[in-house]
Amino acid sequence: MSPTLQLLLLLLLLLTFLASTALSHLPSSSVTTTTSLSISDCSPTPSTYNDAPAPWGAVGGACGYGDLVKAGYGMATVGLSEPLFERGQICGACFELRCVDDMRWCIPGTSIIVTATNFCAPNYGFTADGGGHCNPPNKHLVLPIEAFEKIAIWKAGNMPVQYRRIKCRKEGGIRFTIDGSNIFISVLITNVAGVGDIVSVKIKGSRTGWLPMGRNWGQNWHVSADLKNQPLSFEVTSSDGLTVTSYNVAPKAWNFGQTFEGKQFP
């Protein structure tokens, strides 16, 4: 091997090492871990890759966000297996992903930022290492094809990735969508910056004190109280212990089905 070729190989190895080190040492609230990623669950046929997005990736989901585009999340979303989903508390958290190990399919130098919006359910018809990608104890992430193609070639289907938890950046304030009927109040909370996930919510009318809300599912929170014809305030606490209080977010004449915007985490 010529000295010139040896030098080029050494430079390539050095650049690869520096790129890996840079990502793994960025500030993060959790340790970077290698796991698997698949698009097969949401895009079961090759035609789906070139056609309209599959409903799995755009509407609904275990976090309760509904239409992800209207909710502001778009297709930069991820479904998580049971060990990562934390029974829905993780909903709204943000992750940075990059494809690793298999350079035949990875797009070098790329990464994506996604928000946790769904749950990847176990399939106990398969073993955890024999096709049941989302079976415990696997840490598995499922992406819409639009997100997957930013870091890997779609033909790969199932790829190892590195992921890390990062802070979410959002435009505008926290959004509160009020639903329910009579004295049952359900509030969907979206567009949360900072760590992104919520551990407790309180609501207050002009004629009540602060009322704790219970997690219904995902980021839907509920309370049984007569709050009609009262301006509503909200107190939201995230998983890092920070609390944001938004006073009189909804006016006295609020109605079910409306969305209001409050303050935001730093």
Side-chain angles (χ1 to χ4, degrees):
M1 183 182 296
S2 68
T4 301
L5 183 56
Q6 288 179 334
L7 180 60
L8 288 173
L9 288 173
L10 286 172
L11 286 173
L12 180 61
L13 288 171
L14 178 61
L15 288 172
T16 302
F17 172 77
L18 290 175
S20 175
T21 303
L23 182 61
S24 62
H25 284 80
L26 287 172
S28 174
S29 58
S30 64
V31 178
T32 300
T33 310
T34 299
T35 184
S36 297
L37 170 140
S38 172
I39 57 173
S40 59
D41 294 336
C42 59
S43 303
T45 64
S47 62
T48 306
Y49 300 122
N50 301 315
D51 208 338
W56 183 97
V59 180
C63 292
Y65 292 132
D67 188 317
L68 295 176
V69 176
K70 289 183 179 180
Y73 298 105
M75 302 305 293
T77 61
V78 63
L80 304 174
S81 63
E82 190 172 314
L84 296 171
F85 191 64
E86 300 176 7
R87 299 192 176 188
Q89 182 180 309
I90 201 68
C91 291
C94 297
F95 297 86
E96 182 178 15
L97 313 179
R98 71 169 186 172
C99 180
V100 295
D101 295 343
D102 196 338
M103 293 301 108
R104 295 176 303 165
W105 308 112
C106 295
I107 300 175
T110 61
S111 68
I112 56 171
I113 295 175
V114 293
T115 303
T117 61
N118 209 345
F119 172 56
C120 180
N123 182 352
Y124 294 112
F126 298 92
T127 61
D129 57 355
H133 299 303
C134 291
N135 293 2
N138 291 347
K139 293 182 178 180
H140 195 81
L141 299 89
V142 183
L143 294 175
I145 183 60
E146 291 82 358
F148 185 88
E149 286 187 315
K150 294 183 182 299
I151 58 172
I153 299 171
W154 66 267
K155 288 184 179 180
N158 189 31
M159 290 293 298
V161 297
Q162 271 187 336
Y163 72 92
R164 68 183 183 118
R165 182 87 177 264
I166 64 171
K167 293 293 183 70
C168 301
R169 295 187 178 186
K170 304 295 181 182
E171 294 184 3
I174 299 172
R175 298 184 190 127
F176 304 89
T177 301
I178 305 174
D179 208 341
S181 63
N182 297 322
I183 65 170
F184 178 80
I185 309 293
S186 176
V187 179
L188 170 63
I189 301 178
T190 59
N191 201 53
V192 180
V195 293
D197 58 335
I198 298 168
V199 295
S200 70
V201 179
K202 294 180 181 178
I203 189 171
K204 180 182 183 301
S206 58
R207 300 193 297 271
T208 73
W210 286 104
L211 306 174
M213 302 189 76
R215 187 191 301 274
N216 196 2
W217 57 291
Q219 289 301 354
N220 284 275
W221 298 75
H222 69 275
V223 68
S224 293
D226 184 4
L227 296 173
K228 291 293 290 181
N229 300 312
Q230 301 176 59
L232 301 180
S233 304
F234 294 93
E235 183 182 280
V236 177
T237 301
S238 56
S239 63
D240 58 355
L242 297 180
T243 297
V244 168
T245 304
S246 301
Y247 290 99
N248 301 322
V249 171
K252 179 179 179 180
W254 65 266
N255 284 306
F256 293 116
Q258 291 182 310
T259 299
F260 304 95
E261 190 170 299
K263 293 182 178 181
Q264 185 60 276
F265 288 99

